[in-house]
Amino acid sequence: QIPPMRRRGWRYGLSFRLTPDVRQVLRLMAPAAVGQTVVQINLMIDRLLATFLPKGSLTYLYYANRLVQLPLGVFGIAISTAVLPYLSRQTARGDLEGMKGTLMRALRLAYFISFPAMVGMIVLREPIIALLFEHGLFNRADTAGTAWALLFYSLGLFSYSGAKIVSQAFYSLKDTKTPVIVGAVAMICNAALNLILMRTFLKHGGLALATAISSTINMALLMWILRRRIGRLGSVDLIRSALRITAAGSTMGLICWTVMRYLERTGPVLIVTVSVPVGIAVYLALCHLLRSGELEEVLKAI
């Protein structure tokens, strides 16, 4: 990027002056940095409590979390990162209605991607884990234990993405403190739910479920506070879109389950390589029939 910038007259020079803009960046960045420690503290608490559960629980949580991070990192975080400049420009212009529209659009896209990913992970969790990890010392029992954790982690997939997207709306308002405070509340809820659910038959699955529930609490609180601050967000369109996506994704899940049952004697390789493409094709076809606006946006982007 440097050569074209130099052709436009840009020259690099060192400066250690704390200008008002630099001070503002530092002031806004500090709470956001603290907010990242909330996530790490949550993980630390989960891992600590997992050591009190039967052998292998910590490993099951680790591998299940890695799988959930794949769609979250590729799509959820990508959407939240891409939407921030748009939200910031609209907020700077005083266009709050435009900002609300952009926020809802980002949430609809996140749900369009995260819901079928959630359904697919829940339905195909055992063959996926067997295909990726079941070799060497990782045996069938480990696959079942990891699948149990993945079942509950997957339930919060949209909430993980949604909380990050809504946090960007606060950042565009130059408020980096509220997401930290709400994140701390969610962390306390997560710790309390961990202690309750891990003592039930859920075991390590209870720790994963506590994470999903606390993420949902995090997102719900952020949206509630944002609505009180800037008015109605236009959630009706989000709900309508979610109903269409839920119908398409649930039907996709049923078909994937049917294909998996039909191929269950063939092994995880064939189950995954057949079920996943079939599921994607069914989901996209149903979204097209239901006139999903999110599908049109994705196709235009491609």
Side-chain angles (χ1 to χ4, degrees):
Q1 296 174 354
I2 291 177
M5 291 177 70
R6 287 184 65 84
R7 286 196 295 270
R8 287 166 172 77
W10 177 83
R11 295 293 182 270
Y12 181 74
L14 290 174
S15 174
F16 297 99
R17 291 184 300 109
L18 289 179
T19 64
D21 290 337
V22 173
R23 290 194 185 95
Q24 183 181 24
V25 169
L26 293 174
R27 187 172 63 254
L28 294 174
M29 194 169 66
V34 173
Q36 294 303 310
T37 65
V38 172
V39 177
Q40 299 305 317
I41 292 172
N42 262 333
L43 290 174
M44 184 180 70
I45 292 173
D46 290 353
R47 290 168 182 169
L48 175 64
L49 293 175
T51 61
F52 294 97
L53 293 173
K55 182 181 178 182
S57 297
L58 186 58
T59 300
Y60 303 153
L61 289 170
Y62 173 79
Y63 281 109
N65 185 261
R66 291 299 91 196
L67 287 173
V68 168
Q69 291 297 325
L70 177 61
L72 177 62
V74 173
F75 300 110
I77 295 176
I79 292 173
S80 68
T81 302
V83 79
L84 179 58
Y86 295 97
L87 293 173
S88 297
R89 281 197 292 268
Q90 289 165 333
T91 303
R93 293 198 304 261
D95 182 12
L96 287 182
E97 292 305 314
M99 187 267 269
K100 294 175 189 178
T102 299
L103 175 63
M104 289 298 107
R105 178 187 174 197
L107 288 173
R108 290 198 304 270
L109 283 173
Y111 194 76
F112 175 78
I113 294 168
S114 63
F115 184 79
M118 178 195 78
V119 172
M121 282 190 168
I122 290 174
V123 173
L124 300 172
R125 61 188 186 277
E126 290 206 11
I128 289 174
I129 293 167
L131 176 62
L132 294 176
F133 304 126
E134 195 175 303
H135 54 82
L137 296 177
F138 197 103
N139 56 35
R140 182 63 184 168
D142 296 323
T143 294
T146 304
W148 184 242
L150 182 59
L151 168 64
F152 298 107
Y153 270 138
S154 299
L155 295 175
L157 193 55
F158 173 63
S159 297
Y160 307 145
S161 304
K164 290 181 180 295
I165 292 170
V166 180
S167 292
Q168 301 291 47
F170 283 94
Y171 295 159
S172 73
L173 294 167
K174 298 182 180 179
D175 177 5
T176 55
K177 294 180 181 178
T178 299
V180 175
I181 295 171
V182 173
V185 172
M187 181 185 72
I188 295 171
C189 292
N190 182 58
L193 289 168
N194 275 340
L195 294 172
I196 295 170
L197 296 175
M198 68 180 284
R199 296 175 182 272
T200 67
F201 70 96
L202 297 174
K203 300 298 182 182
H204 64 279
L207 297 178
L209 180 58
T211 300
I213 293 174
S214 63
S215 295
T216 303
I217 292 172
N218 188 9
M219 179 182 170
L221 283 175
L222 286 172
M223 290 195 69
W224 178 71
I225 295 171
L226 187 63
R227 185 181 184 278
R228 286 179 61 88
R229 185 170 299 181
I230 64 175
R232 292 181 180 275
L233 301 176
S235 302
V236 174
D237 288 339
L238 175 61
I239 294 171
R240 288 173 180 167
S241 174
L243 290 174
R244 289 193 293 267
I245 292 168
T246 300
S250 300
T251 305
M252 177 207 77
L254 179 61
I255 291 175
C256 284
W257 180 83
T258 303
V259 172
M260 180 182 69
R261 295 290 293 177
Y262 182 76
L263 298 173
E264 62 183 347
R265 295 181 181 275
T266 64
V269 176
L270 194 60
I271 291 174
V272 174
T273 54
V274 173
S275 298
V276 171
V278 168
I280 292 173
V282 168
Y283 177 67
L284 295 179
L286 289 173
C287 285
H288 176 70
L289 290 174
L290 294 171
R291 297 181 179 180
S292 169
E294 292 70 37
L295 175 60
E296 294 180 6
E297 288 191 41
V298 171
L299 293 177
K300 286 180 181 177
I302 294 174

